[in-house]
């Protein structure tokens, strides 16, 4: 993680503007064709949920703005991004948070993430919060019971929370046999604009379409 000289940073006026807002977030949702990823997950025997976490993290790493954070009001550039995702064991009603270090190999990442999530189910105390100083992360969540149209995530500290939150819902099969799923991105406007979120969606769609 490296500090950014805010005095010479082009986004300085946006930090000054949006850091005073109670809800300074951009939240955009769209429908994604996840057919190829769904088929890939079935073929390789991996969790579709973990495969989505892999892809969402991979794409975020390709866009500098998704690696910007504000620490004590000052901008930094993260050197890594680790997904922190919600996990709900079968038969349970309360989720917990799992943190899994990212790696390039999708199958390996998914196997490790699922193994870690399942192992945590036997722990006496689950993790629900992460350290307040932990910023080199991405929050991931899924609402697999709802093919929703929009989903706003919870945030901490009235606008100070600036970690991106990426979510998705229930996939359904359309009349053409494609698996279509709602997908949402919530980010702090001081660190990026609609342009960067649009770039994220384009890259995510391209990645989903490239899977074989």
């Amino acid at each position: 993680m490296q500090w950014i000289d805010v005095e010479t940073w082009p986004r300085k006026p946006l930090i000054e503007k949006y850091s005073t807002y109670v809800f300074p977030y951009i939240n955009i949702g769209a429908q994604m064709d996840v057919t190829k990823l769904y088929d890939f997950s079935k073929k390789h025997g991996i969790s579709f949920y973990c495969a989505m976490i892999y892809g969402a993290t991979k794409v975020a790493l390709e866009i500098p703005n998704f690696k910007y954070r504000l620490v004590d009001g000052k901008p930094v550039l993260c050197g890594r991004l680790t997904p922190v995702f919600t996990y709900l064991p079968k038969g349970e009603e309360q989720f917990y948070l799992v943190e899994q270090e990212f790696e390039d190999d999708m199958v390996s990442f998914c196997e490790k993430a699922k193994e870690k999530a399942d192992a945590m189910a036997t722990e006496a105390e689950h993790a629900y919060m992460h350290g307040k100083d932990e910023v080199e992360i991405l929050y991931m969540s899924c609402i697999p019971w709802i093919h929703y149209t929009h989903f706003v995530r919870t945030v901490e500290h009235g606008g100070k929370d600036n970690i991106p939150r990426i979510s998705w819902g229930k996939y359904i099969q359309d009349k053409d046999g494609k698996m279509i799923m709602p997908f949402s991105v919530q980010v702090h406007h001081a660190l990026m604009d609609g342009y960067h979120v649009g770039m994220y969606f384009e890259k995510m769609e391209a990645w989903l379409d490239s899977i074989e």
Side-chain angles (χ1 to χ4, degrees):
M1 185 172 72
Q2 68 181 72
W3 293 96
I4 297 172
D5 183 0
V6 69
E7 296 303 322
T8 60
W9 203 38
R11 298 198 68 83
K12 179 185 177 182
L14 297 171
I15 291 178
E16 293 173 345
K17 176 180 175 65
Y18 290 113
S19 292
T20 64
Y21 283 34
V22 173
F23 194 84
Y25 303 102
I26 298 173
N27 187 305
I28 298 177
Q31 301 292 310
M32 292 281 191
D33 180 352
V34 297
T35 308
K36 290 185 177 181
L37 184 62
Y38 177 85
D39 291 342
F40 181 93
S41 301
K42 293 292 185 183
K43 177 181 177 181
H44 292 273
I46 59 174
S47 161
F48 173 80
Y49 180 41
C50 291
M52 277 297 301
I53 293 167
Y54 170 90
T57 305
K58 175 180 173 63
V59 171
L61 283 164
E62 297 176 2
I63 303 173
N65 293 72
F66 276 79
K67 295 186 280 187
Y68 293 148
R69 299 290 184 271
L70 295 174
V71 177
D72 297 326
K74 299 177 182 178
V76 299
L77 176 65
C78 296
R80 62 183 176 86
L81 292 177
T82 300
V84 175
F85 59 94
T86 59
Y87 190 75
L88 182 68
K90 281 189 175 182
E92 299 291 332
E93 295 184 0
Q94 189 162 309
F95 72 90
Y96 51 88
L97 296 176
V98 181
E99 182 173 345
Q100 177 60 44
E101 184 176 349
F102 183 77
E103 60 179 272
D104 289 334
D105 186 280
M106 176 161 55
V107 173
S108 176
F109 170 85
C110 291
E111 290 174 345
K112 291 175 182 177
K114 185 65 164 59
E115 182 179 355
K116 186 173 184 179
D118 288 339
M120 286 180 65
T122 62
E123 295 181 4
E125 293 185 6
H126 299 318
Y128 296 106
M129 300 295 292
H130 285 260
K132 65 179 181 179
D133 297 325
E134 192 169 8
V135 297
E136 292 184 304
I137 61 176
L138 295 166
Y139 283 124
M140 309 270 181
S141 189
C142 178
I143 306 293
W145 312 276
I146 307 171
H147 189 79
Y148 63 76
T149 55
H150 206 66
F151 180 34
V152 178
R153 295 282 299 276
T154 55
V155 291
E156 299 179 65
H157 310 306
K160 294 182 181 179
D161 188 335
N162 56 91
I163 296 171
R165 284 161 163 76
I166 302 169
S167 315
W168 48 95
K170 177 182 180 180
Y171 51 72
I172 60 173
Q173 193 169 41
D174 69 8
K175 60 182 178 60
D176 298 318
K178 295 180 179 179
M179 306 302 288
I180 306 299
M181 185 181 75
F183 184 83
S184 306
V185 175
Q186 182 170 302
V187 295
H188 199 295
H189 206 344
L191 302 177
M192 69 182 85
D193 308 313
Y195 169 81
H196 306 99
V197 180
M199 184 188 304
Y200 182 93
F201 273 84
E202 288 180 349
K203 286 180 174 289
M204 189 68 185
E205 289 171 335
W207 177 74
L208 287 167
D209 191 53
S210 70
I211 296 170
E212 298 180 352

